[in-house]
Amino acid sequence: MILIFLLPMFVAWPLPRVWAEQWMTMPSGEAAIHIWGLWATAAGQNLFSIETYAAAWPDGVDAVLADPANLPFFMLGWWNGAEAAYNTILYGNLVLLGVAGAALAWHVGGAPWLGAIVAVTNASVLAAATTGITEQLGIGWLGLFIVALLQSLRRRCKRWAVAAGVFLAISVAAGPYIGIWASFIAAMLGVAHLRKADRKQHLVPLSITAGVSSLLVAPLAHAVLTGRIAGQPGTA
């Protein structure tokens, strides 16, 4: 467990030294606008809606936050400034990625410590940090969803199925890219297990996961479909 908390500081060095002083991303990236979106959402005491007159005055801005799952990490770091807020999001998601890697390794009978190292040193995730696009960092939620879903199918366990539904919903809230990947993976795993001879035993956990995730995602999905400019792709 200690490794999971220490490893992100090493792979994202010099993160610990510049935590509240510098953004661990490129100056030309999108970190600032994403931190602004998180701030505007938190300042409005909303879960995923940006409603503020701090931009585009006097009309203001009404939008949907791309990555509400990052709000807890943002709040943990915001007290120490915008730099700390972004760096805390990066660190928190790397820790989460380590947990997911350890869980995936445990699921397949491997060494959790090795799974954590492989996950946290994932080059694509570390490279994503340079863009400042915070909704690309929450891939750890996807890993936890996969573990929970596979465990629910293997054990026919309702608790794991509920956990899978929760993690699937958080994956969607972590960002649209991750949400799409999670949905594809859920569909593929579901179809694969429903084609097996014992398909009836998989119906309950799959239904629970689908029901829980749909219930939790519904408010965010409704906001996305109704809160965009008419005529844009994806609008209702």
Side-chain angles (χ1 to χ4, degrees):
M1 181 61 78
I2 295 178
L3 176 67
I4 291 175
F5 285 97
L6 294 180
L7 190 59
M9 295 186 182
F10 174 76
V11 299
W13 188 264
L15 180 63
R17 295 181 56 185
V18 299
W19 198 292
E21 300 173 1
Q22 299 180 27
W23 303 65
M24 285 296 294
T25 186
M26 296 188 302
S28 58
E30 300 181 22
I33 188 61
H34 283 83
I35 290 300
W36 179 86
L38 289 160
W39 167 80
T41 304
Q45 298 182 1
N46 296 318
L47 289 176
F48 47 76
S49 299
I50 300 175
E51 301 172 354
T52 180
Y53 290 97
W57 190 88
D59 297 324
V61 172
D62 290 315
V64 179
L65 183 66
D67 55 333
N70 279 323
L71 275 171
F73 295 135
F74 168 82
M75 296 300 294
L76 284 174
W78 178 249
W79 66 274
N80 208 19
E83 296 89 346
Y86 175 79
N87 292 335
T88 301
I89 291 172
L90 173 58
Y91 174 76
N93 278 297
L94 287 175
V95 170
L96 181 66
L97 191 59
V99 174
L104 284 165
W106 164 77
H107 174 75
V108 299
W113 65 268
L114 183 58
I117 292 176
V118 171
V120 176
T121 56
N122 185 303
S124 62
V125 176
L126 294 174
T130 64
T131 67
I133 303 177
T134 52
E135 68 260 32
Q136 293 181 336
L137 301 177
I139 196 70
W141 294 114
L142 176 58
L144 292 176
F145 159 65
I146 294 172
V147 172
L149 182 59
L150 291 176
Q151 284 290 314
S152 72
L153 293 169
R154 174 186 292 180
R155 303 186 182 195
R156 280 73 166 177
C157 178
K158 295 179 181 179
R159 291 183 180 180
W160 276 109
V162 171
V166 172
F167 287 137
L168 176 54
I170 300 177
S171 296
V172 174
Y177 317 109
I178 299 171
I180 292 172
W181 298 336
S183 299
F184 278 141
I185 292 172
M188 288 187 293
L189 288 175
V191 170
H193 282 78
L194 290 177
R195 294 184 64 183
K196 293 183 177 181
D198 59 346
R199 64 178 65 88
K200 292 183 179 180
Q201 299 183 33
H202 300 305
L203 281 174
V204 172
L206 287 173
S207 298
I208 292 174
T209 297
V212 170
S213 61
S214 298
L215 183 64
L216 294 176
V217 169
L220 177 59
H222 180 266
V224 171
L225 292 174
T226 60
R228 303 181 66 188
I229 299 174
Q232 285 188 334
T235 52

